[in-house]
Amino acid sequence: MAISRADIEEKVTDVLENALGADRDEIIATATLTEDLGAESIDFLDIQFQLEKKFSTPEKPFKIEQGELFPENMMSNPDYVKDGKFTDAGFAVLKEKMPHVDLSSFGGDRNVRGLAKLFTVKSLCDFIEIKLKK
Amino acid sequence: MRWMWIDTIVTYEPDRRLVAIKNVSLAEEHLHEHFPAKDGLPAQPVMPASLMIEGMAQTAGILTGSLRRFKEKVVLAKIQKAEITQDVVPGQCIRYDARIERIDPMGAGTVGTIERFDHRTGQWEKIGETEIMFSHVDQNMSGQAFPEHNFVFSDSFRNVLRASGLGHLMD
């Protein structure tokens, strides 16, 4: 049976409460993981591992590959990132691989530091919903 | 010099599990400060819980390092959970049982059980649980560069591995 959006949001909230020690009333759709909920770089891996556990079932494991949820594997690729900024090719790949992230508000300079600020609670829920439909 | 908080490795199951032992001795100076006699109360030496967490981190860290033959620089990144419910006193033995829960190019998640052995009862008793995450620092998201040599798995770690009959893992 397909999982509802409300169930996804509930489980994502559980994960963020556990991984970041955030209060549940702070974990709203528009909250950003870094600025609003205080996530640091290692927390992203923790969130990834916990989402896998939360959404896995005995029948169907839920495995998130490197670079699928967060684009960490793009950072060291000089074709995608140059002088700390996404290149045109990198930005195109980002748009293709990260449909769960709203890139419309990404700063014009495409500084990689700004990317983490775009990940919201909604981004995680969208990611789960898209991935479960595949 | 690195302060080792495990004495030997007693079980190694490749890619899965590593178990280490720590014997707690009254000869360890820090026990005399934790806790000394005070205000008419006698000294009460107990193994600091923080050092038990370090012992588990070393155990789980070696297990994580062994997954890539100690080529990765494995550093403790996050303690998600550390619960220790009982004291360990001199003469008792601690067993750190670490298991890999998840491994990724960026790092690894481990779960652990801490037990103590009392020679009077001859029994092991579970006294704690941990969840510890390790990062492969060369794969960090910030792209920060670190020295090429593996400063994490120093001679102290290598000596424990050799003495435990696991020197071949570093070849």
Side-chain angles (χ1 to χ4, degrees):
Chain A
M1 194 178 81
I3 185 169
S4 70
R5 177 74 184 196
D7 285 342
I8 290 173
E9 289 171 356
E10 180 75 13
K11 288 186 173 188
V12 167
T13 300
D14 289 344
V15 166
L16 294 176
E17 183 182 29
N18 192 32
L20 306 178
D23 291 337
R24 288 185 85 83
D25 56 5
E26 291 177 327
I27 306 170
I28 56 175
T30 55
T32 59
L33 302 189
T34 52
E35 294 198 323
D36 294 329
L37 301 180
E40 296 178 14
S41 60
I42 190 62
D43 293 322
F44 284 77
L45 190 62
D46 188 12
I47 290 167
Q48 177 186 321
F49 286 178
Q50 291 201 36
L51 287 173
E52 288 180 343
K53 260 203 290 193
K54 203 77 179 175
F55 289 94
S56 283
T57 63
E59 302 77 37
K60 195 174 179 186
F62 187 81
K63 174 96 191 295
I64 302 171
E65 302 297 337
Q66 190 193 19
E68 195 180 354
L69 174 57
F70 306 112
E72 66 270 10
N73 56 345
M74 292 178 65
M75 302 301 183
S76 56
N77 185 332
D79 291 336
Y80 296 153
V81 175
K82 196 172 178 186
D83 300 328
K85 294 173 184 175
F86 283 103
T87 61
D88 288 345
F91 198 65
V93 171
L94 206 57
K95 279 203 277 193
E96 181 198 335
K97 293 196 169 181
M98 306 276 144
H100 48 286
V101 180
D102 179 8
L103 295 170
S104 63
S105 56
F106 202 12
D109 65 352
R110 296 179 187 169
N111 191 313
V112 294
R113 290 175 185 274
L115 185 63
K117 297 175 189 169
L118 300 183
F119 281 89
T120 61
V121 175
K122 180 178 180 296
S123 305
L124 296 185
C125 295
D126 288 349
F127 171 80
I128 301 290
E129 192 166 32
I130 294 166
K131 189 169 169 66
L132 286 175
K133 278 181 186 164
K134 283 180 184 171
Chain B
M1 162 77 189
R2 184 175 182 126
W3 216 350
M4 295 305 296
W5 292 104
I6 57 175
D7 293 336
T8 191
I9 297 164
V10 293
T11 301
Y12 171 64
E13 297 174 17
D15 302 341
R16 188 172 165 269
R17 180 175 173 235
L18 191 136
V19 183
I21 294 288
K22 156 78 180 160
N23 290 299
V24 179
S25 164
L26 199 54
E28 295 174 66
E29 280 190 22
H30 61 93
L31 292 182
H32 297 272
E33 301 299 325
H34 193 271
F35 299 91
K38 191 177 178 187
D39 300 331
L41 296 171
Q44 192 180 356
V46 297
M47 180 72 179
S50 55
L51 296 181
M52 285 196 264
I53 296 169
E54 172 63 19
M56 176 56 88
Q58 291 183 356
T59 305
I62 291 173
L63 175 59
T64 302
S66 72
L67 299 173
R68 303 266 164 89
R69 309 289 286 187
F70 300 98
K71 300 289 186 279
E72 294 273 7
K73 301 179 189 87
V74 173
V75 296
L76 193 160
K78 185 171 181 177
I79 299 172
Q80 296 135 304
K81 175 183 176 183
E83 286 180 2
I84 296 174
T85 57
Q86 303 286 325
D87 286 334
V88 176
V89 299
Q92 293 182 326
C93 179
I94 306 171
R95 182 159 66 190
Y96 301 111
D97 191 333
R99 292 164 193 269
I100 291 287
E101 193 171 57
R102 178 76 167 82
I103 180 81
D104 184 274
M106 294 273 289
T110 68
V111 294
T113 302
I114 302 176
E115 299 164 293
R116 73 176 177 190
F117 182 80
D118 190 312
H119 293 275
R120 293 182 191 85
T121 63
Q123 291 185 334
W124 286 99
E125 178 187 9
K126 181 179 167 183
I127 62 165
E129 289 180 338
T130 61
E131 291 177 15
I132 300 177
M133 180 167 280
F134 295 88
S135 174
H136 296 144
V137 292
D138 289 329
Q139 310 287 337
N140 66 90
M141 270 178 86
S142 66
Q144 186 180 345
F146 287 87
E148 196 170 322
H149 76 279
N150 197 330
F151 53 86
V152 177
F153 295 108
S154 60
D155 286 346
S156 306
F157 273 111
R158 291 170 181 273
N159 289 339
V160 169
L161 280 162
R162 280 192 203 98
S164 304
L166 296 171
H168 60 281
L169 296 180
M170 300 177 288
D171 295 339

